[in-house]
């Protein structure tokens, strides 16, 4: 980060911390937010644990925990450095798409639980109606997200070309 000509390391650090703070405010774990922002702001989109630790002044254990969370949420991927046992972590250009579309499985599970709730509570009870409305909301959102993501793929290709 610091050896890129024309780039102010202090400005980059301020961006990383500012964007991470926004992600934390939205519900992301603090260390994961910092690691994600650092990866996102690197030109290559790839950093090793040591590079992340040095840039963010955090321990290898903190990097490991953050990366575990980010990998589980499909926001980064792990890969081995060729010819080395060291791992490096990559953020992809489509990480938001991946993270959002991978929520589909979670929403499907919620929908199943809500259907069970409507059935258990009774569709005509106040709680059953509230549960049915929540289920209808998730079903609606699921359809809208699928349509929106298809529009995004077309829009992204128009803006950035194919990968």
């Amino acid at each position: 980060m610091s050896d890129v000509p024309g780039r102010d390391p202090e400005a980059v650090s301020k961006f990383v911390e500012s964007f991470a703070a926004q992600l934390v405010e939205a519900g992301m774990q603090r260390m994961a937010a910092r690691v994600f922002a650092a990866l996102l702001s690197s030109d290559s989109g790839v950093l090793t644990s040591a590079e992340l630790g040095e840039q963010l002044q955090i321990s290898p254990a903190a990097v490991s925990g953050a990366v575990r969370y980010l990998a589980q949420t499909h926001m980064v991927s792990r890969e081995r450095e060729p010819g080395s046992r060291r791992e490096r972590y990559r953020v992809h250009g489509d990480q938001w798409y991946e993270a959002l579309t991978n929520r589909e499985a979670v929403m499907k599970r919620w929908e199943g639980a809500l259907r069970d709730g409507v059935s258990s509570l009774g569709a005509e009870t106040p709680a059953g109606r509230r549960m049915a409305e929540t289920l209808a909301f998730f079903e609606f959102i699921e359809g809208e997200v699928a349509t929106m993501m298809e529009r995004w793929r077309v829009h992204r290709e128009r803006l950035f070309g194919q990968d």
Side-chain angles (χ1 to χ4, degrees):
M1 168 184 87
S2 60
D3 57 352
V4 175
R7 184 166 299 167
D8 178 0
E10 188 175 323
V12 173
S13 181
K14 284 181 180 178
F15 164 77
V16 166
E17 296 305 325
S18 173
F19 188 57
Q22 295 297 316
L23 294 171
V24 168
E25 194 172 302
M28 187 182 280
Q29 298 173 359
R30 181 176 182 273
M31 205 55 65
R34 294 181 71 215
V35 166
F36 180 75
L39 283 166
L40 191 63
S41 66
S42 71
D43 282 337
S44 67
V46 179
L47 295 170
T48 65
S49 179
E51 290 168 332
L52 285 164
E54 181 181 331
Q55 179 180 339
L56 299 172
Q57 297 296 295
I58 59 177
S59 71
V63 171
S64 178
V67 168
R68 186 177 322 108
Y69 171 85
L70 292 167
Q72 288 171 345
T73 58
H74 305 281
M75 295 188 74
V76 302
S77 59
R78 298 172 191 248
E79 50 190 51
R80 290 265 184 221
E81 281 191 355
S84 170
R85 291 175 23 155
R86 291 191 328 174
E87 284 188 329
R88 56 188 185 180
Y89 310 108
R90 176 181 301 277
V91 66
H92 299 278
D94 63 351
Q95 77 278 349
W96 298 113
Y97 170 83
E98 288 297 322
L100 188 57
T101 56
N102 284 305
R103 295 284 183 227
E104 185 178 341
V106 172
M107 288 183 63
K108 285 286 189 197
R109 287 194 305 270
W110 289 353
E111 289 171 13
L114 288 165
R115 273 188 203 88
D116 291 346
V118 171
S119 177
S120 298
L121 297 166
E124 298 308 315
T125 67
R129 283 193 301 275
R130 191 169 47 250
M131 197 84 45
E133 183 177 341
T134 303
L135 172 60
F137 172 76
F138 282 120
E139 289 170 337
F140 175 80
I141 292 298
E142 185 180 0
E144 290 297 306
V145 166
T147 302
M148 179 181 63
M149 296 317 288
E150 181 53 40
R151 287 194 332 262
W152 165 246
R153 282 189 288 274
V154 170
H155 182 69
R156 180 176 184 243
E157 186 175 322
R158 192 170 44 245
L159 289 175
F160 301 106
Q162 290 185 315
D163 290 334

